[in-house]
Amino acid sequence: MKFTLLVFLVPWLVLACEPRAEPAEGVGQMSARWDASRDGSMTAPASATWCEVRRLLEIRSIRGDTGIALVLYPGRSLTTGSYRILEPVKAESLPPAAGVAVRWLAQNIVQGFRGDSGQLQLERSNTGQLSGRVQARARSVVDTQRIMLTATFRDLNPRPDSMGCTPMDTTDEDLASDDTGEPGDTMVD
């Protein structure tokens, strides 16, 4: 369970260190507020990627050291409607469901939270853009703190996930070798 949590949160730590270009025209938006020992809020560009192989939609929004990730597990196809929020480990195995992760920099540490209950309402416009609302309870990944998160997102155009979208049973060894025992093609001419 700790490994899955790290897999879910570590990319957010890396992304916070990457320089960000100005958002492209037509990029979606997310606004969020949370009640905790230190209340907070964020409004930032948001993006959505669809992983066909694993049947999941990932929505990300990052501003500085603060980030929010939503992962929807719809089952067979992405449909509008209500998704219950479960702990990330459970959400994947109990579709339709959603996982939520939130993190921000607090004094000297990155404070991370994962959703454990609530609802995500997903809507699609006649142009195919996704919008939605989230109300979730989340607990700290390092201590006993809890937060209430309220968020909205709008104008998201899902893109196919071209990186990191591999079947769950694929291992690093599977990706690094093939049946011939020869090194794989580097795709460099």
Side-chain angles (χ1 to χ4, degrees):
M1 183 162 175
K2 287 182 181 181
F3 176 74
T4 302
L5 177 60
L6 287 174
V7 168
F8 196 71
L9 291 176
V10 167
W12 294 102
L13 298 173
V14 172
L15 288 171
C17 297
E18 291 181 358
R20 291 282 171 207
E22 287 300 310
E25 187 88 22
V27 169
Q29 184 88 11
M30 182 180 290
S31 294
R33 302 183 67 76
W34 53 89
D35 300 326
S37 58
R38 269 201 159 152
D39 294 351
S41 65
M42 177 186 89
T43 298
S47 64
T49 54
W50 171 250
C51 176
E52 182 68 31
V53 174
R54 294 185 58 205
R55 303 263 192 249
L56 64 88
L57 177 75
E58 182 176 347
I59 299 170
R60 294 183 188 192
S61 184
I62 299 171
R63 173 150 321 256
D65 293 324
T66 303
I68 298 174
L70 310 172
V71 180
L72 284 72
Y73 300 96
R76 289 199 163 130
S77 64
L78 185 61
T79 58
T80 60
S82 185
Y83 290 77
R84 63 189 169 177
I85 294 173
L86 301 173
E87 290 187 18
V89 173
K90 293 179 183 176
E92 186 170 8
S93 61
L94 297 170
V100 174
V102 180
R103 61 119 169 95
W104 63 83
L105 185 61
Q107 297 211 331
N108 296 334
I109 65 166
V110 174
Q111 187 67 53
F113 291 83
R114 65 176 179 224
D116 61 8
S117 62
Q119 290 290 121
L120 183 149
Q121 188 67 35
L122 184 67
E123 301 166 358
R124 185 185 306 257
S125 71
N126 56 4
T127 61
Q129 292 182 319
L130 299 177
S131 297
R133 297 178 306 282
V134 178
Q135 289 191 346
R137 288 178 51 114
R139 69 178 64 211
S140 171
V141 297
V142 296
D143 57 32
T144 60
Q145 291 185 66
R146 297 186 63 80
I147 64 169
M148 284 296 300
L149 172 72
T150 303
T152 59
F153 54 91
R154 61 182 171 79
D155 304 329
L156 297 175
N157 293 309
R159 304 180 321 271
D161 188 353
S162 60
M163 297 182 66
C165 184
T166 57
M168 283 296 291
D169 58 353
T170 301
T171 65
D172 289 340
E173 291 83 21
D174 293 335
L175 296 173
S177 66
D178 59 22
D179 294 334
T180 65
E182 295 179 15
D185 186 358
T186 62
M187 310 228 359
V188 175
D189 291 328

